[in-house]
Amino acid sequence: MSLKKLHQSQMPVAKAALAPNIPQELTVDILLRLPAKSIGKFRCVSKPWRSLLSDPLFITAHLTLHRHYTQKLIFFSTSPVPPSSRSIYTLTFTTADKPGSEAVLQKLNLSENILENPSSKYASIVGSCNGLVLVLGFRMQIGFRDTMYLINPTTMEVVKLPASPLVREAVLIGGALGYDSSNDDYKIVTVSCDEPTRNETSVDVFSLRSGSWKRINSLPYHLDFRSWVFLNGAIHWLACSDSGDHSVIAFDLTCEKFNPVPIPRGEFDPLKLVDLGGCLAMLVKQTFHQMDIWVMQEYGIGQSWTKFSVATPNYFYFNDVVCLLGDDNVVLNVKEQKLVVHNLTENTRRDMVVTGIGGHLRYLIGFSESLVSPIYYCQNWRAT
C-alpha cells in the first residue's frame, strides 16, 4: 500500500519540529517507509522523535504500509547439549546483495525467559498477527491452565497473559490470535474439548484491552485447533462434523460469530490451513509422496480456489508449508531439520542455504516485523 491510499486522519502528526529545513510531512513520509528495527533506533534521537514514533497512529500507519512485506520466521531450537536446553530464534530472509546465504538466524534475548518457566516445558509457538507472536505453555499433568505469552520479536516486548478460568482440565486445547479492527483490540481465542467424549468444542475469547475472558457457545463439531489462519478480520479453522464431513469455519472477531467458508469441491483429506501471501490456503493429502495446495485467490469466493501440486519425497507428513517467498516460491520445513524452497510454477525444489542453522526447527511459523506494542494494549489491566 502507498502513502497516498492512507486517509489524512490516518497520518501521524508530530507535535514538535523533527528536523530543521525539512517539511514535517516529508520527514514523516520517510520515517514510515523505514523498517521497524530502524524506527526503534530513531526513538532515541530526541523526545519529539520518540513521541512521534511511539504514537499509536504512527504505529498503525507503519503497520498498514509494511503488513505484506516479506515475512520473517520464528521457532524453537533444541540444543543437543544439554538435551533440555531450548532457545527462540528468528530467521530473516536476505537480499540478493548478500551472497552465500539466503537467510540468517538471530537468537532472541527476551527480558523474560519464557522457556525457563516450569509450565513452558511443553510450550509451543502457535501463530502470529501483525507482528505479535502467541506462545502457549502448559503442564501435561494438569492440562492447560498455566501460561500464555504475547511477544513482539522485533521490539522484544513480552507480556504474560492470564489463563482462562473457564477451561477445566481439558486435555485437548489450542489457541489463536487475531485483531479486531473495529475495536482496535487483539483477541486470543482458545478452543478446548474433553478427551473422553470430544462431542463438542468450547470456545473462550480473551480481550487484550480489557484483560477479561468470556465463553462463546459451544460448537456441535470439532475444530482442528492445531491449524488456524487469521485473515480478513476472522480466525479460520478446519472443522469436522460427527459424520466426518470437512469444512472451514471462520470466527469473526468483531461480532464474535462463526461463519462457514466455501471449500473446494470434491472429496479430499485436508491437513492444515496456511496463509500464503495474504490468501487462505489449504494443504490436502494426495498420496504419500504428494500433497496439493489449494489457494483461495479471492476471499470468500468458492470458485477462486486454485490447486498446486507439491512433490514430497520424504513423505508428505514431514513437509510443513511455512510461508510464501516472492510470488510462487513456497518454503517447506522438512522433518524440522532443514528448509526447502518449492517453486509452484516450475514444480522444482531446492534446499535453502541458511547461515548458522543447527538443531531442530520446532513450531516454526512466519511473522511480519511491526511496532505493535502488547504492553500498550494491556496497560489498563496490567497496572491493577
Side-chain angles (χ1 to χ4, degrees), residues 18-311:
L18 298 176
N21 305 322
I22 301 178
Q24 176 178 292
E25 294 79 5
L26 179 58
T27 304
V28 173
D29 185 309
I30 295 172
L31 291 172
L32 282 172
R33 299 176 188 275
L34 296 178
K37 278 191 174 294
S38 298
I39 297 298
K41 296 178 181 178
F42 285 131
R43 283 174 174 170
C44 302
V45 171
S46 65
K47 289 184 178 180
W49 280 59
R50 183 175 185 83
S51 176
L52 170 69
L53 302 181
S54 301
D55 189 301
L57 202 59
F58 180 91
I59 293 174
T60 300
H62 186 273
L63 175 66
T64 302
L65 292 172
H66 294 261
R67 182 177 286 129
H68 298 303
Y69 278 34
T70 301
Q71 286 185 319
K72 302 178 71 169
L73 305 180
I74 185 170
F75 61 94
F76 290 162
S77 181
T78 304
S79 173
V81 181
S84 60
S85 176
R86 291 193 302 168
S87 300
I88 303 177
Y89 287 85
T90 60
L91 185 148
T92 304
F93 299 114
T94 57
T95 56
D97 59 351
K98 295 181 179 180
S101 178
E102 297 175 85
V104 293
L105 296 180
Q106 179 182 0
K107 183 178 179 180
L108 286 187
N109 295 310
L110 301 172
S111 57
E112 181 175 353
N113 192 338
I114 63 178
L115 297 183
E116 289 184 354
N117 191 306
S119 62
S120 298
K121 181 179 180 180
Y122 300 98
S124 60
I125 302 173
V126 297
S128 69
C129 174
N130 292 348
L132 300 183
V133 174
L134 178 63
V135 177
L136 298 186
F138 60 96
R139 290 183 181 141
M140 293 296 288
Q141 64 268 28
I142 60 174
F144 177 90
R145 276 180 183 267
D146 282 0
T147 53
M148 295 189 302
Y149 293 94
L150 204 55
I151 67 176
N152 184 325
T154 304
T155 64
M156 309 293 279
E157 290 185 0
V158 183
V159 170
K160 184 178 179 180
L161 306 175
S164 173
L166 307 174
V167 178
R168 56 198 182 111
E169 294 186 7
V171 177
L172 301 177
I173 190 165
L177 169 68
Y179 178 63
D180 176 2
S181 59
S182 295
N183 298 297
D184 187 25
D185 190 11
Y186 286 87
K187 295 181 178 180
I188 295 170
V189 182
T190 62
V191 293
S192 58
C193 60
D194 297 324
E195 190 175 37
T197 59
R198 300 192 64 182
N199 55 358
E200 65 177 21
T201 301
S202 299
V203 180
D204 300 323
V205 180
F206 176 80
S207 164
L208 192 59
R209 276 199 177 277
S210 67
S212 61
W213 285 94
K214 65 179 175 180
R215 170 146 294 185
I216 307 298
N217 292 336
S218 298
L219 303 175
Y221 39 71
H222 315 303
L223 298 181
D224 183 357
F225 44 73
R226 298 165 300 178
S227 170
W228 62 271
V229 168
F230 174 74
L231 280 174
N232 290 73
I235 297 174
H236 302 70
W237 286 276
L238 285 173
C240 183
S241 65
D242 289 334
S243 60
D245 295 328
H246 297 287
S247 61
V248 174
I249 301 297
F251 181 70
D252 188 294
L253 289 180
T254 298
C255 63
E256 297 184 343
K257 293 183 178 180
F258 286 90
N259 300 296
V261 176
I263 61 176
R265 294 181 178 180
E267 296 183 1
F268 52 86
D269 185 8
L271 299 172
K272 66 178 295 188
L273 297 178
V274 293
D275 177 354
L276 290 184
C279 293
L280 181 65
M282 179 189 301
L283 307 187
V284 176
K285 172 187 173 182
Q286 187 62 31
T287 67
F288 286 123
H289 299 292
Q290 178 182 319
M291 65 180 173
D292 294 335
I293 302 178
W294 286 86
V295 180
M296 181 179 269
Q297 305 285 2
E298 296 182 53
Y299 183 79
I301 307 300
Q303 293 78 8
S304 70
W305 284 102
T306 304
K307 184 178 74 171
F308 300 91
S309 295
V310 176

Side-chain angles (χ1 to χ4, degrees), residues 361-376:
L361 308 174
R362 301 291 309 278
Y363 306 112
L364 187 144
I365 66 164
F367 75 97
S368 302
E369 279 194 350
S370 83
L371 300 167
V372 176
S373 170
I375 296 177
Y376 166 78

